[in-house]
């Protein structure tokens, strides 16, 4: 397939890491942020959210909510915001520059305050998540936010400490350099928040027949109750790739941000981040980034019709299953047999496997992967 690596979103790879610059933050007003937000602030600084250089201001915020684009028209579907209460807002306004601290009180970034504004939480939630049902995790989070938003650029002066979970983290500058070193002209990105079944592997390998390289890019960060834990997603993928993937065809990189469960809007957001990493194509799953039954299973496919300017091409594979008649992994495009002949690892099968220590059939889950899952204490969030 002829293709080329796209430029970063908005044609600019943001870099707002100033770790070498020993800025004096003493006496600066401080604002504490959650671990999830600290990850996203580092994502901004590393250009994963390019072209954003900080938290969005009021114009961009309203534009994202209303049109799914920044005020300059560039595709952007999920507002990256910092919420503060009235009292903090007053202090921040006077301070101009604010030192951001993590939950352990480490000062790690500077926020250059540009504007402070109010927002309609419910209207915002409804636009992004397409529901105002408080049971939706994204809606719940939005209505529980503080009342004001702060817009402004950030500079990160101290990265998060290295940890086993961050061993495979890379910046877009690093992934792009590696893609260039490998000479890939097309790269397909695969988003996941699950442990790998053979069905996922077969889908990724089907994609590898079409493109120069594959970027397996699991999302590491806050997830909902019942999802697999990050450590498990990471170690099971490492085992799978070590044993079953050609090293020169695949890159394994983690993306540290929380799931928002915004369905179609998040599918666009996921695609933009992968474009920044250097992917030319992105696999969009059935009910991508969905939760419950809030989104039509193909809504995350349909939305790409409104974003033909996005410069990363979505790839829509039908779900893969093992067909007992075809004796191979198949899908509804190439197999005529009915659901009674399909073998899939359901959520129920997986929970049974975890609670009883039963190993699934090896054509459904690789034994190297299954062993890691059954031996993991408390595998779910
Ligand atoms: Zn079949």
């Amino acid at each position: 397939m002829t293709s080329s690596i796209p430029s970063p979103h908005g044609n600019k790879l943001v870099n707002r890491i100033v770790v070498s610059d020993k800025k004096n933050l003493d006496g600066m007003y401080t604002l504490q942020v959650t671990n999830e937000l600290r990850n996203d602030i580092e994502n901004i600084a590393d250009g994963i959210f390019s072209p954003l250089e900080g938290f969005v201001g009021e114009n961009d915020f309203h534009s994202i909510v209303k049109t799914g684009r920044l005020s300059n028209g560039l595709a952007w579907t999920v507002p990256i915001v910092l919420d503060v209460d009235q009292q903090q807002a007053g202090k921040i306004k006077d301070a101009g520059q604010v030192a951001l601290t993590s939950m352990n009180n480490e000062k790690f970034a500077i926020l250059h305050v540009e504007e402070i504004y109010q927002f309609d939480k419910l209207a915002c939630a409804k636009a992004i998540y397409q529901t105002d049902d408080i049971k939706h995790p994204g809606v719940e989070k939005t209505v529980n936010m503080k009342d004001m938003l702060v817009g402004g650029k950030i500079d990160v002066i101290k990265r998060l400490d290295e940890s086993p979970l961050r061993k495979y983290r890379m910046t877009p500058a690093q992934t792009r350099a590696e893609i260039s070193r490998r000479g890939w002209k097309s790269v397909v990105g695969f988003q996941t928040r699950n442990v790998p079944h053979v069905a996922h592997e077969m889908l990724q390998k089907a994609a590898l027949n079409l493109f120069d390289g594959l970027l397996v890019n699991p999302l590491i960060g806050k997830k909902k109750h019942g999802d697999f834990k990050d450590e498990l997603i990471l170690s099971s993928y490492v085992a799978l790739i070590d044993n079953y993937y050609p090293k020169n065809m695949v890159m394994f990189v983690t993306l540290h941000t929380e799931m928002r469960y915004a369905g179609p809007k998040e599918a666009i957001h996921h695609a933009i981040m992968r474009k920044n990493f250097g992917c030319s194509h992105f696999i969009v799953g059935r009910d991508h980034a969905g939760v419950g039954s809030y989104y039509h299973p193909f809504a995350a496919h349909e939305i790409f019709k409104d974003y033909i300017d996005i410069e990363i091409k979505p790839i829509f594979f039908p779900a893969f299953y093992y067909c007992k008649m075809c004796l191979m992994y198949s899908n509804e495009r190439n197999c005529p047999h009915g659901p009674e002949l399909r073998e899939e690892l359901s959520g129920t099968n997986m929970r049974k496997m975890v609670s009883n220590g039963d190993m699934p059939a090896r054509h459904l889950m690789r034994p190297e992967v299954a062993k890691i899952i059954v031996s993991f204490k408390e595998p779910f969030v």
Side-chain angles (χ1 to χ4, degrees):
M1 199 171 278
T2 55
S3 199
S4 62
I5 302 304
S7 299
H9 199 48
N11 293 315
K12 184 187 172 191
L13 194 58
V14 167
N15 178 1
R16 298 196 67 89
I17 297 275
V18 287
V19 279
S20 58
D21 186 4
K22 290 272 173 246
K23 296 216 179 197
N24 185 8
L25 306 186
D26 296 343
M28 212 181 260
Y29 181 76
T30 62
L31 195 64
Q32 193 173 48
V33 302
T34 61
N35 294 333
E36 290 78 43
L37 208 50
R38 181 167 182 182
N39 264 315
D40 276 345
I41 291 166
E42 198 167 312
N43 289 337
I44 295 170
D46 277 333
I48 293 171
F49 294 160
S50 294
L52 301 192
E53 296 181 291
F55 295 106
V56 296
E58 190 166 15
N59 278 345
D60 279 332
F61 177 80
H62 288 303
S63 180
I64 294 165
V65 169
K66 277 202 190 105
T67 69
R69 290 175 180 274
L70 298 174
S71 54
N72 65 4
L74 193 70
W76 199 275
T77 50
V78 175
I80 306 296
V81 293
L82 175 64
D83 58 317
V84 294
D85 60 32
Q86 298 280 356
Q87 195 194 1
Q88 290 168 325
K91 295 220 166 100
I92 287 169
K93 200 167 194 175
D94 297 336
Q97 288 195 337
V98 172
L100 299 176
T101 67
S102 55
M103 299 310 280
N104 62 0
N105 290 318
E106 179 180 45
K107 290 177 185 172
F108 72 93
I110 299 170
L111 168 64
H112 308 277
V113 179
E114 284 160 29
E115 50 187 318
I116 300 170
Y117 55 100
Q118 285 181 309
F119 71 118
D120 181 338
K121 293 176 192 173
L122 213 54
C124 168
K126 208 167 175 179
I128 305 302
Y129 302 102
Q130 297 170 33
T131 173
D132 53 12
D133 183 355
I134 193 73
K135 291 200 285 288
H136 184 293
V139 176
E140 185 191 11
K141 189 182 169 190
T142 307
V143 298
N144 287 323
M145 283 168 76
K146 292 169 191 157
D147 290 337
M148 315 285 286
L149 299 178
V150 187
K153 292 177 183 167
I154 55 94
D155 286 313
V156 166
I157 55 166
K158 168 81 173 64
R159 286 182 178 281
L160 275 152
D161 290 333
E162 291 308 316
S163 70
L165 269 181
R166 282 171 60 90
K167 186 179 169 195
Y168 297 93
R169 188 184 187 276
M170 287 173 84
T171 68
Q174 289 169 328
T175 55
R176 284 172 170 273
E178 181 63 16
I179 288 166
S180 162
R181 191 186 69 79
R182 294 179 181 220
W184 292 350
K185 298 287 179 251
S186 61
V187 185
V188 60
F190 185 84
Q191 143 77 27
T192 183
R193 52 177 158 131
N194 207 339
V195 295
H197 306 179
V198 178
H200 301 130
E201 176 188 340
M202 293 303 154
L203 190 152
Q204 291 169 23
K205 287 181 171 175
L208 259 188
N209 291 328
L210 303 171
F211 305 103
D212 294 344
L214 167 71
L215 177 78
V216 178
N217 197 206
L219 199 145
I220 301 295
K222 195 176 176 191
K223 299 190 184 69
K224 66 181 166 53
H225 183 73
D227 282 352
F228 280 102
K229 282 188 179 160
D230 287 335
E231 294 83 350
L232 193 51
I233 297 170
L234 196 63
S235 50
S236 60
Y237 255 104
V238 169
L240 178 72
I241 291 171
D242 275 353
N243 288 288
Y244 296 94
Y245 284 57
K247 299 289 167 297
N248 60 338
M249 298 289 283
V250 61
M251 284 167 65
F252 180 70
V253 177
T254 51
L255 170 58
H256 298 251
T257 191
E258 64 184 308
M259 273 304 296
R260 293 170 164 88
Y261 305 100
K265 299 238 172 178
E266 192 166 8
I268 298 292
H269 181 62
H270 281 173
I272 290 170
M273 290 189 281
R274 276 49 181 239
K275 175 187 173 187
N276 284 328
F277 279 124
C279 294
S280 55
H281 296 78
F282 180 59
I283 296 171
V284 182
R286 185 188 155 89
D287 196 26
H288 190 104
V291 59
S293 53
Y294 289 99
Y295 310 106
H296 186 278
F298 296 109
H301 293 190
E302 289 294 314
I303 193 173
F304 279 85
K305 288 180 186 161
D306 298 333
Y307 291 92
I308 49 172
D309 55 332
I310 199 173
E311 294 171 331
I312 175 169
K313 292 194 187 74
I315 302 292
F316 308 126
F317 272 106
F320 279 41
Y321 50 81
Y322 186 82
C323 173
K324 287 194 270 191
M325 200 68 165
C326 294
L327 291 180
M328 61 185 275
Y329 270 91
S330 306
N331 60 58
E332 286 180 341
R333 284 167 67 92
N334 59 20
C335 152
H337 307 114
E340 71 283 1
L341 290 163
R342 294 175 193 171
E343 286 191 85
E344 287 170 277
L345 267 183
S346 65
T348 317
N349 292 149
M350 292 290 287
R351 274 185 289 278
K352 244 188 218 164
M353 165 186 147
V354 166
S355 56
N356 307 341
D358 292 344
M359 294 285 275
R362 45 187 309 150
H363 65 286
L364 297 180
M365 179 170 275
R366 301 293 191 184
E368 293 85 349
V369 171
K371 265 182 216 147
I372 289 172
I373 298 171
V374 296
S375 63
F376 201 88
K377 267 188 198 168
E378 297 173 14
F380 301 111
V381 174

